[in-house]
Amino acid sequence: AVAHILKRCLAKQPQARYPSAQALREAVSSLLESQSSLRSRPARPRLAVAAAVLLALAATAYQFLPRPQHQPALPNYQRIAGELPSFSPDGKRMAFVSIPKSGRRFISIRNLATGEQKDFGNGLAVKWSPDGSKLCYVRSLNEALGLIFVVDLSTGTERELFRRPAVNASFSSALAWTGDSRAVIAPFPDSDNSRRSLWAVDITTGERTRLTAPPSGIYGDIDAAVSPDGKRLAFVRAEAGNIADAFWKELSSGPDGPVYPLTVGRGRMEGVEWTPDGREVVFAARRTLPKSAIWKVSAALQPVEPVLLQSEEGDCAYPTITRSPRGGLRLAYWHRRREANLYLREAPNYDRDHPVATGPLERYTASLSPDGRRVVFNSNEKGNFELYITDSKGTETTELTAMAGAYSGSPQWAPDMRTIAFESSHGTNRDVFVIPAQGGAPKRFTTEPSNEGRPFWSRDGQWLYFRSNRSGSSQIWRKRSDGTGAAVQITRGGGVDPIEGMDGKTLYYLKSQSDPGIWSVSVTGGNEKLLIPGVQLDQWTVTAMGILYLERLVHAAHTPVKIYNFADATSRPLTSIPCSNYCVMLTATPDAKRLLWGAIEKDESGMRLVEIPER
């Protein structure tokens, strides 16, 4: 009889299961009544097991039964505009990053009971001190440097505490406090920039104390949190941008003391936070789900299985948790949901869009095969970004890479269409890889201890161009595509996004992501000339007709596609595409008979505030 109840509970088809928790409870009660005569007999092992199972079933059913009317109903969740929340110690207020329509991020504090909000200076991440009297937050000085400020909430005064190198874009700029509120915890790179360790910086004296010592050859430690008793540190240890796990350690053990794993997934981690009782750590990760969710796990000497705490469509990241004034717990987290799609247009009119890759995923980089029949693109279908190949109609899609958690993108077909070059953050830095177009093992093309990417084949297939910072700044280099010989630097004034001209003699490129505009230089180097100002990364290509590019217009329903004529150095409209949100890319076949474009068509970002009853 027990087996019968269990089988019905576990039936694969929903209609074969119990229709409600009440029906399950009735079945359990009926069985107990029918077996009442056994209570007077000596207990037997099988009956003891059955009794235990029935008790578990009854308890499970009880969890789903309606609560008495005198218990207050707790709301599911509340949406708040902003990012990266941090609760005050009493749980009544929340600091976070606001994003107004102007797009400039700044720090805000909201009273969760009244909705009253106070704004501070611009910032990227914020953390409330354990004593409730201060905030620390990050402000970006430039692409390479961040400023850390401390705000005295009693006076509203702020001061710069220290400066540190910018954090990899795969992570937030999260900070932490020591338990006594006397020091701010942040990651700092070693002198050779090989790895990042966590340090505590005294807010009065500026004295630094090293807290962790990660192994060499990885990105390092980041996204820390100190337990409520101030004795333990939880942190993310990252091998690379999307390959990380959470750990904890006793602060008294020093930087070289033992660390204990909280997770063993080697995936993307987004934030850690201790529960108010200091027994568990809450974190964001994808784990077994296609999108990031909020999990909790016990801080034990050996890793245990995490428990799912909160999930929804889209990515949940950077949780913060506190005791709720209403009883139970209060959870807040950053929620993101994006959809970036790819479309094809054909000559001669370029007036109809044919879907190539669409749906609730993100696709940011892609390349058309020279004959226009296939498309290679990156997508986060499995959480991290891998490469996929489809036909021009998007009807047959196959996975090309499986780089185990790394970011892969910027794919480019070789002229003979047999090989694809791409960039990937697999390992401690980003490199250029090549892979057979029909699939197989990728081969690392660049091997320097620096960051390389954005590959592009020469028109004859003999060279691969790529950007590299091996000289100290991002420049365009090229190397023979068979891997022989040394790489040769081409640009001197900065360079990303290289594309060789149709004649094989001229190289076109952007100087940097923050300096839009197309430049030209000989493939052997020399005089660098600005051709078209204002063009963004990935939003242009070179064809036999000229340079095709997107003209960015503010608040436009359609974005013009223009063509630059080399003969008279003038541009004319070719068509326009409906990417009023944001166009992520534009490319074409060498003969320009087919255009491929992509746009972010859904972009939702905000915070969720959730009340969790204590169990």
Side-chain angles (χ1 to χ4, degrees):
V2 173
H4 175 75
I5 291 178
L6 287 174
K7 286 180 180 179
R8 186 170 178 183
C9 288
L10 299 173
K12 291 185 177 180
Q13 299 299 323
Q15 59 268 27
R17 303 174 199 147
Y18 288 97
S20 66
Q22 181 64 33
L24 171 59
R25 186 187 185 187
E26 291 173 356
V28 172
S29 299
S30 176
L31 178 59
L32 288 173
E33 290 173 1
S34 68
Q35 299 296 317
S36 61
S37 61
L38 293 176
R39 295 172 186 168
S40 62
R41 302 178 185 179
R44 289 179 290 174
R46 293 184 65 181
L47 291 179
V49 172
V53 170
L54 292 173
L55 285 172
L57 287 171
T60 301
Y62 177 76
Q63 292 292 325
F64 293 95
L65 294 179
R67 292 291 186 261
Q69 293 299 315
H70 67 270
Q71 292 188 3
L74 295 174
N76 186 12
Y77 66 79
Q78 178 183 354
R79 295 174 177 169
I80 299 176
E83 299 175 351
L84 301 171
S86 176
F87 283 124
S88 61
D90 61 8
K92 296 180 179 180
R93 293 177 293 168
M94 185 169 65
F96 57 94
V97 179
S98 290
I99 308 176
K101 292 183 179 180
S102 63
R104 186 181 183 185
R105 289 167 164 80
F106 58 88
I107 305 302
S108 298
I109 290 180
R110 171 174 290 201
N111 185 309
L112 296 175
T114 66
E116 182 182 358
Q117 188 165 308
K118 181 178 180 180
D119 300 328
F120 292 86
N122 64 299
L124 303 175
V126 62
K127 192 70 174 181
W128 213 303
S129 66
D131 64 7
S133 67
K134 297 175 286 292
L135 296 178
C136 65
Y137 68 87
V138 182
R139 178 180 296 171
S140 176
L141 181 63
N142 51 47
E143 291 183 357
L145 197 62
L147 312 179
I148 283 69
F149 284 81
V150 172
V151 179
D152 186 324
L153 294 177
S154 63
T155 63
T157 58
E158 65 176 25
R159 61 184 177 87
E160 182 183 328
L161 180 59
F162 58 85
R163 301 185 177 195
R164 68 159 193 209
V167 176
N168 186 306
S170 296
F171 303 106
S172 80
S173 299
L175 299 167
W177 287 88
T178 54
D180 57 11
S181 301
R182 294 180 178 178
V184 171
I185 299 173
F188 287 89
D190 290 349
S191 57
D192 60 356
N193 203 34
S194 62
R195 61 178 181 174
R196 282 162 170 75
S197 303
L198 292 169
W199 294 72
V201 183
D202 191 288
I203 63 173
T204 302
T205 66
E207 180 182 358
R208 299 185 184 184
T209 303
R210 190 185 188 107
L211 303 180
T212 65
S216 59
I218 69 171
Y219 185 79
D221 297 339
I222 196 169
D223 280 348
V226 173
S227 60
D229 62 8
K231 296 180 179 181
R232 289 163 295 161
L233 178 74
F235 60 95
V236 172
R237 175 162 288 176
E239 297 178 34
N242 292 287
I243 307 175
D245 273 301
F247 295 81
W248 73 274
K249 65 173 297 180
E250 297 284 351
L251 284 169
S252 60
S253 67
D256 298 310
V259 298
Y260 306 100
L262 291 163
T263 66
V264 291
R266 295 184 74 250
R268 183 179 177 90
M269 300 287 298
E270 297 182 292
V272 289
E273 187 74 273
W274 291 88
T275 54
D277 61 11
R279 297 177 181 177
E280 297 174 302
V281 173
V282 177
F283 64 93
R286 289 189 172 92
R287 290 183 53 77
T288 57
L289 301 178
K291 293 289 186 178
S292 287
I294 309 299
W295 307 77
K296 67 175 181 178
V297 64
S298 296
L301 298 182
Q302 297 293 331
V304 297
E305 186 66 19
V307 175
L308 180 63
L309 191 61
Q310 182 75 8
S311 68
E312 58 180 293
E313 186 177 355
D315 286 308
C316 306
Y318 299 104
T320 182
I321 193 164
T322 187
R323 296 196 183 279
S324 172
R326 305 175 61 183
L329 297 173
R330 179 173 273 174
L331 171 71
Y333 56 91
W334 180 21
H335 176 260
R336 302 180 308 242
R337 182 171 177 241
R338 272 187 172 184
E339 182 178 311
N341 298 321
L342 301 176
Y343 299 90
L344 192 70
R345 289 194 176 193
E346 297 180 318
N349 297 324
Y350 306 104
D351 57 353
R352 293 184 60 188
D353 291 319
H354 305 281
V356 174
T358 60
L361 295 172
E362 298 171 53
R363 310 161 186 89
Y364 294 126
T365 58
S367 173
L368 273 165
S369 60
D371 63 5
R373 295 181 179 180
R374 289 181 292 172
V375 177
V376 57
F377 62 95
N378 74 337
S379 173
N380 62 342
E381 180 177 343
K382 292 188 173 181
N384 60 296
F385 281 87
E386 299 285 2
L387 298 184
Y388 298 81
I389 289 182
T390 188
D391 59 81
S392 60
K393 295 182 180 180
T395 56
E396 296 182 9
T397 302
T398 58
E399 186 177 5
L400 182 63
T401 65
M403 301 295 280
Y407 170 87
S408 298
S410 302
Q412 291 291 334
W413 293 86
D416 63 6
M417 297 183 291
R418 296 179 180 177
T419 311
I420 292 171
F422 65 99
E423 68 178 28
S424 180
S425 59
H426 188 72
T428 59
N429 52 277
R430 189 164 296 196
D431 277 298
V432 174
F433 289 76
V434 292
I435 188 172
Q438 72 272 18
K443 180 181 179 181
R444 189 174 171 182
F445 182 77
T446 58
T447 58
E448 294 291 315
S450 49
N451 286 306
E452 279 78 28
R454 318 292 304 184
F456 191 87
W457 300 84
S458 63
R459 301 296 174 174
D460 59 9
Q462 299 299 307
W463 297 88
L464 262 176
Y465 297 92
F466 56 91
R467 66 139 181 94
S468 173
N469 65 352
R470 63 182 68 184
S471 63
S473 62
S474 182
Q475 305 290 347
I476 304 299
W477 295 64
R478 74 170 183 171
K479 184 178 181 180
R480 292 197 174 275
S481 58
D482 61 5
T484 62
V488 179
Q489 183 176 343
I490 299 175
T491 64
R492 303 291 171 179
V496 297
D497 210 12
I499 300 179
E500 189 183 81
M502 299 302 297
D503 60 2
K505 299 179 180 179
T506 306
L507 181 71
Y508 302 92
Y509 63 97
L510 272 63
K511 279 192 175 292
S512 73
Q513 297 186 45
S514 59
D515 185 14
I518 300 174
W519 292 68
S520 67
V521 68
S522 168
V523 295
T524 58
N527 182 47
E528 301 176 3
K529 179 183 178 183
L530 176 63
L531 294 183
I532 312 171
V535 180
Q536 302 280 348
L537 190 76
D538 274 330
Q539 299 183 3
W540 65 288
T541 190
V542 179
T543 71
M545 293 174 58
I547 298 178
L548 303 183
Y549 65 95
L550 297 178
E551 182 182 39
R552 293 296 300 160
L553 299 177
V554 179
H555 305 306
H558 288 71
T559 299
V561 178
K562 289 194 170 183
I563 184 164
Y564 175 88
N565 189 296
F566 294 113
D568 57 10
T570 61
S571 297
R572 62 177 177 85
L574 179 67
T575 185
S576 64
I577 53 179
C579 51
S580 55
N581 192 337
Y582 188 76
C583 297
V584 295
M585 60 149 295
L586 172 73
T587 189
T589 53
D591 59 10
K593 290 186 178 180
R594 286 191 169 185
L595 309 182
L596 181 71
W597 65 275
I600 296 174
E601 296 186 306
K602 289 183 180 179
D603 190 3
E604 301 171 0
S605 177
M607 294 181 300
R608 303 291 192 258
L609 183 63
V610 184
E611 298 283 351
I612 304 175
E614 212 148 29
R615 299 178 185 271

